[in-house]
Amino acid sequence: MHLFYEPDIQQRLFLSEEESRHAVKVLRLSTGDTLKIVDGKGFRYEAEIVDPNPKRCSVRIRSVEQEATVRSFSIHLAIAPTKDLDRIEWMLEKCVEVGVDQVSFIRTRRTDERYWKGKSIHLDRLEKIAVSALKQSLKLTMPRVEGLIPWDAFLENLPADRQKLIAHLENEDRQLLKYRATPGGSYVILIGPEGDFTTQEIAEAKEKGFLAVSLGESRLRTETAGLIAVHTLDLLNQ
Amino acid sequence: MHLFYEPDIQQRLFLSEEESRHAVKVLRLSTGDTLKIVDGKGFRYEAEIVDPNPKRCSVRIRSVEQEATVRSFSIHLAIAPTKDLDRIEWMLEKCVEVGVDQVSFIRTRRTDERYWKGKSIHLDRLEKIAVSALKQSLKLTMPRVEGLIPWDAFLENLPADRQKLIAHLENEDRQLLKYRATPGGSYVILIGPEGDFTTQEIAEAKEKGFLAVSLGESRLRTETAGLIAVHTLDLLNQ
């Protein structure tokens, strides 16, 4: 059965223009055909098509199912975007597959936006990638994706109840992430840009309660480090 | 200092044509300039340029350094290539960053080569990607990359001393990989194609001693599963 994404399906009983086109024009679904819809908020709906309008396809909901396993932990990845924006898009896709609750793109002192050639973090595009990964991996909860957030603003506005972790590369005794993080927590993990956080940024994060961690012996690219951090926290809670 | 890859540097004291061009034409290194070379076999050399010939740059080796930490485990990933070959290339890059010893591409019954449009697994191209990831992550040992290997031939020719694991998706009680694999082992882990292994393939693998494992609750794409499996085994040994 085909899967669609509609964040507002409980309020309005039709598909967005894009999903309507996909259902009616591409998949050629028609009146009475059954489809599944996720709202990205933990619910899955089984629905049937009432009016196969290719711009505004109406549906009737037959049944609702709530995500069975609410996770006992949450993962918030805060990462400086890479010079090559494709790498960030790739990483987001993979993080959604593995399972992530929030991804914040942070502007650090060494975030080098000149390489983007006038492009930037496009939240619309990132959301599409996340939706596609959400459907593909049959997850029901859409992560929050935000950015670019200035470094100072990010540090100021963090919820207090999170386990705060920063994976920097400076010489310092850092415990492995898998030992430092406690199972069952709400984590926020900071991953630096190519060239790492500055010494001052690391000090500022520590002042805010961040603990320095290591992802292991390997020197990883920024986007690899982001995914590996998310997977380490997920694995710790398996 | 610039890093070069020369698998035969101990036998012949010059760089390959490609690395010579990179050193002399791109980086404009010249007589007396210092460079680092890895041979992919666990050694790193500090060398100086004797003759900056752009096709055959001669060097003199000043010092040799052996990889300090020989890993107490080894990871062999055997995976069915995806329809989209870019995804396999991406996965190889990330596996090398994290640390992998061998990657075998396997032709399973559901490996669908029609999607490749006449292209196939190009080992030359994959080796270049692995070399680039090797340099980037400062690793000294080059993984072996091979394929496409027919399923039957792969199962027949496996070394006996490996922990054999298969991550399939059929309904069956499968233990999580992180609990099933024993630290300090030589692992070979099988990851199936889009659409999974066939029931018969799973039975054949089990006959050869493979144990069924799960990578967790998430439904992962093939290439994500490959990387996640390698990282899980690496993390188990951290």
Side-chain angles (χ1 to χ4, degrees):
Chain A
M1 207 183 309
H2 301 289
L3 187 62
F4 296 84
Y5 173 69
E6 280 301 333
D8 299 324
I9 195 66
Q10 281 192 320
Q11 275 73 54
R12 47 166 226 202
L13 291 168
F14 55 88
L15 302 182
S16 68
E17 187 165 340
E18 193 176 335
E19 292 288 56
S20 294
R21 199 189 62 79
H22 187 64
V24 179
K25 290 281 192 189
V26 179
L27 299 171
R28 302 188 170 277
L29 299 180
S30 155
T31 309
D33 282 346
T34 306
L35 40 80
K36 285 201 172 183
I37 302 167
V38 291
D39 65 2
K41 301 179 179 95
F43 292 91
R44 179 160 44 202
Y45 305 81
E46 197 172 301
E48 79 175 69
I49 293 180
V50 177
D51 173 20
N53 185 313
K55 292 201 168 169
R56 188 189 152 121
C57 174
S58 306
V59 298
R60 188 174 67 79
I61 292 186
R62 282 195 196 138
S63 61
V64 185
E65 185 191 340
Q66 193 166 9
E67 196 151 28
T69 52
V70 175
R71 300 203 303 176
S72 59
F73 61 100
S74 76
I75 303 175
H76 176 185
L77 172 67
I79 188 164
T82 47
K83 290 175 191 166
D84 178 349
L85 291 174
D86 288 350
R87 293 181 172 267
I88 279 300
E89 295 181 357
W90 160 83
M91 184 205 73
L92 180 66
E93 176 184 304
K94 299 311 176 199
C95 284
V96 173
E97 281 182 57
V98 170
V100 71
D101 299 274
Q102 189 171 346
V103 179
S104 305
F105 294 104
I106 310 292
R107 181 182 283 123
T108 66
R109 291 191 187 87
R110 291 195 186 129
T111 302
D112 198 338
E113 293 168 44
R114 284 174 308 171
Y115 287 87
W116 298 348
K117 293 169 186 154
K119 285 194 265 179
S120 185
I121 296 289
H122 285 300
L123 291 179
D124 282 1
R125 188 173 155 80
L126 289 172
E127 183 165 340
K128 273 188 195 167
I129 288 166
V131 166
S132 164
L134 189 84
K135 288 177 177 180
Q136 200 277 331
S137 60
L138 302 183
K139 289 200 184 316
L140 301 190
T141 307
M142 178 77 177
R144 192 170 139 195
V145 181
E146 56 183 12
L148 277 175
I149 305 173
W151 171 255
D152 296 335
F154 177 77
L155 284 190
E156 283 310 318
N157 296 309
L158 272 179
D161 63 341
R162 304 230 165 140
Q163 287 188 38
K164 295 173 183 165
L165 307 154
I166 179 169
H168 70 73
L169 306 172
E170 292 212 341
N171 270 332
E172 179 194 0
D173 261 345
R174 285 166 294 135
Q175 215 180 348
L176 283 171
L177 174 59
K178 73 168 184 172
Y179 293 126
R180 179 55 99 176
T182 314
S186 278
Y187 315 102
V188 54
I189 181 145
L190 269 167
I191 304 286
E194 284 120 328
D196 205 7
F197 296 107
T198 63
T199 306
Q200 191 188 332
E201 282 168 341
I202 296 169
E204 287 164 356
K206 284 181 177 170
E207 256 172 52
K208 293 286 180 186
F210 277 83
L211 301 172
V213 294
S214 158
L215 300 176
E217 294 287 311
S218 299
R219 193 174 81 153
L220 305 172
R221 283 176 185 275
T222 295
E223 78 278 7
T224 319
L227 174 61
I228 286 313
V230 167
H231 180 238
T232 303
L233 293 169
D234 182 72
L235 203 63
L236 184 71
N237 285 282
Q238 273 187 5
Chain B
M1 205 184 309
H2 300 289
L3 186 63
F4 295 84
Y5 173 69
E6 280 300 333
D8 300 324
I9 195 68
Q10 280 191 322
Q11 274 75 51
R12 46 165 227 202
L13 292 167
F14 55 88
L15 301 182
S16 68
E17 187 165 339
E18 193 175 336
E19 291 288 56
S20 294
R21 197 189 64 79
H22 187 64
V24 179
K25 290 281 190 189
V26 180
L27 299 171
R28 301 187 170 278
L29 300 180
S30 151
T31 308
D33 282 345
T34 305
L35 40 82
K36 285 201 171 181
I37 302 168
V38 290
D39 64 3
K41 302 178 177 95
F43 292 92
R44 180 160 42 204
Y45 306 81
E46 197 173 299
E48 78 175 72
I49 292 179
V50 177
D51 173 19
N53 184 312
K55 291 201 168 169
R56 189 188 150 124
C57 174
S58 305
V59 299
R60 188 175 67 77
I61 291 185
R62 284 194 194 138
S63 61
V64 185
E65 183 192 341
Q66 193 167 9
E67 196 151 29
T69 50
V70 174
R71 299 203 303 177
S72 59
F73 61 98
S74 75
I75 303 175
H76 175 184
L77 172 66
I79 189 165
T82 47
K83 291 175 190 168
D84 178 350
L85 291 174
D86 289 350
R87 292 182 171 267
I88 279 301
E89 296 181 356
W90 161 83
M91 184 205 74
L92 181 65
E93 176 184 303
K94 299 311 174 199
C95 284
V96 173
E97 280 182 56
V98 169
V100 71
D101 298 273
Q102 188 171 345
V103 179
S104 306
F105 293 104
I106 309 293
R107 180 183 283 123
T108 66
R109 290 188 189 89
R110 291 197 186 129
T111 302
D112 198 339
E113 294 167 43
R114 284 173 308 170
Y115 288 87
W116 299 347
K117 294 169 187 156
K119 287 196 263 179
S120 184
I121 295 289
H122 285 300
L123 290 178
D124 282 3
R125 186 171 157 82
L126 289 172
E127 183 165 339
K128 273 188 195 167
I129 289 166
V131 164
S132 164
L134 189 84
K135 287 177 177 180
Q136 201 277 332
S137 60
L138 303 182
K139 289 199 183 317
L140 302 190
T141 307
M142 177 76 176
R144 192 170 140 197
V145 181
E146 55 183 12
L148 278 176
I149 304 173
W151 171 255
D152 296 335
F154 178 77
L155 284 189
E156 283 310 318
N157 297 308
L158 273 178
D161 62 341
R162 306 226 166 142
Q163 287 186 39
K164 295 173 184 166
L165 307 154
I166 180 169
H168 70 74
L169 306 172
E170 292 213 342
N171 269 332
E172 180 193 1
D173 260 347
R174 287 165 293 136
Q175 215 179 350
L176 283 171
L177 174 58
K178 74 168 184 173
Y179 294 125
R180 178 55 97 177
T182 315
S186 278
Y187 315 102
V188 54
I189 181 147
L190 269 167
I191 304 286
E194 284 119 328
D196 205 6
F197 296 107
T198 63
T199 306
Q200 192 188 334
E201 283 168 342
I202 296 168
E204 286 163 357
K206 284 181 176 170
E207 255 172 53
K208 294 286 181 186
F210 277 83
L211 301 172
V213 294
S214 158
L215 300 176
E217 294 288 310
S218 298
R219 193 174 81 154
L220 305 172
R221 283 177 186 273
T222 294
E223 77 278 8
T224 319
L227 173 61
I228 287 313
V230 167
H231 180 239
T232 302
L233 293 170
D234 182 72
L235 203 63
L236 185 72
N237 284 282
Q238 273 187 6

